[in-house]
Amino acid sequence: MEHSVYHSLKQECEQKKVTLVAVSKTKPAAAIQELYELGQRDFGENYVQELVQKQQELPAAIHWHFIGHLQSNKVKMIAPFVHLIHAVDSFKLLQEIAKQATKNERTIDVLLQLHVADEETKFGMDENELMHCLEQYSAQRKELEQVRIRGLMGMASFTEDMVQVRAELHRIRNAFVQMKQTFFTGREYFDTCSMGMSGDYQAAIEEGSTMVRIGSMLFGSRR
Ligand SMILES: *Cc1c(COP(=O)(O)O)cnc(C)c1O
């Protein structure tokens, strides 16, 4: 890994008050350790087994972000330690996370995932589903106390067309603002708009991202 790439990215994120999540999926523990020693603490993984394995091997001070699609039956495997779950895409999953948080006597922070890309394969809810999920959440807030919704996560389409990418990032930011106004006014903890990857993080920051998830730019391409 090129340390200068990490240092300049880190500096850029610090200047703009954006949290940098280093996406280490498929990369060995040694690569994570190397970045950890440079001061990086937030790492993102998208497979449950791989995350559990790495969590056991690596320093306890790491903040593990689960950024992949999460199945309800796997929540219990990461519930004891996960720092932030990025891609909650149903009310049922939210309920399961609350249940596992209670079992582990902790609060689990999550983001809801908005689907904006034009690719079929990307998970997440559209704006209507998102609002519906939040209405259900609002009606049962008390029972769901141990899951804390910190904000929204989204991914733009994988395309060179930056006009389209910008429009999608803008849509994510708009939904975040609307969510805050409708369901989280006055709640300081609702502060996270997770968008931006290696190919579009600068545009994402300009569009109002507060957390970027960067993999290949730091660790090289994956196969
Ligand atoms: C893999 C992945 C990333 C990082 O992508 P890069 O293009 O390698 O920076 C970010 N977010 C999610 C959800 C991912 O799955």
Side-chain angles (χ1 to χ4, degrees), residues 12 25 41 53 56 97 104 113 115-116 147 154 178 218:
E12 191 177 352
K25 62 190 184 199
R41 290 294 176 271
Q53 180 74 37
Q56 286 166 359
I97 294 168
N104 285 278
Q113 184 181 8
H115 173 101
V116 291
V147 61
Q178 202 205 327
L218 289 172

Side-chain angles (χ1 to χ4, degrees), residues 23-131:
V23 176
S24 47
K25 62 190 184 199
T26 78
K27 300 295 169 185
I32 298 173
Q33 185 68 37
E34 189 182 344
L35 261 196
Y36 179 83
E37 280 159 20
L38 298 179
Q40 180 64 20
R41 290 294 176 271
D42 291 275
F43 290 91
E45 291 284 336
N46 67 345
Y47 297 103
V48 168
Q49 309 282 2
E50 189 180 338
L51 170 55
V52 169
Q53 180 74 37
K54 286 175 174 170
Q55 193 267 340
Q56 286 166 359
E57 282 173 44
L58 285 154
I62 291 180
H63 291 164
W64 292 106
H65 296 246
F66 190 77
I67 64 172
H69 178 66
L70 183 58
Q71 290 171 281
S72 290
N73 63 357
K74 299 213 169 136
V75 174
K76 59 177 172 296
M77 296 175 68
I78 61 171
F81 65 85
V82 71
H83 179 71
L84 180 64
I85 297 174
H86 284 235
V88 174
D89 60 359
S90 71
F91 182 66
K92 183 176 152 259
L93 182 56
L94 205 57
Q95 285 177 305
E96 178 61 18
I97 294 168
K99 183 175 148 192
Q100 295 301 331
T102 306
K103 273 195 183 163
N104 285 278
E105 299 179 344
R106 62 183 297 241
T107 297
I108 297 180
D109 283 349
V110 305
L111 306 175
L112 301 186
Q113 184 181 8
L114 180 69
H115 173 101
V116 291
D118 60 13
E119 288 131 53
E120 278 299 314
T121 51
K122 284 184 180 158
F123 293 102
M125 301 177 273
D126 66 20
E127 282 88 346
N128 288 333
E129 290 164 337
L130 180 70
M131 291 302 149

Side-chain angles (χ1 to χ4, degrees), residues 172-187:
I172 298 165
R173 179 69 194 187
N174 278 347
F176 170 74
V177 170
Q178 202 205 327
M179 239 171 116
K180 182 162 178 81
Q181 285 168 353
T182 314
F183 297 96
F184 298 95
T185 41
R187 297 187 197 245

Side-chain angles (χ1 to χ4, degrees), residues 162-204:
M162 286 312 283
V163 173
Q164 181 183 345
V165 168
R166 284 257 177 198
E168 290 171 352
L169 294 167
H170 199 75
R171 228 177 108 188
I172 298 165
R173 179 69 194 187
N174 278 347
F176 170 74
V177 170
Q178 202 205 327
M179 239 171 116
K180 182 162 178 81
Q181 285 168 353
T182 314
F183 297 96
F184 298 95
T185 41
R187 297 187 197 245
E188 297 277 317
Y189 62 81
F190 189 90
D191 62 0
T192 307
C193 182
S194 168
M195 59 182 193
M197 314 184 10
S198 295
D200 63 1
Y201 79 93
Q202 280 161 321

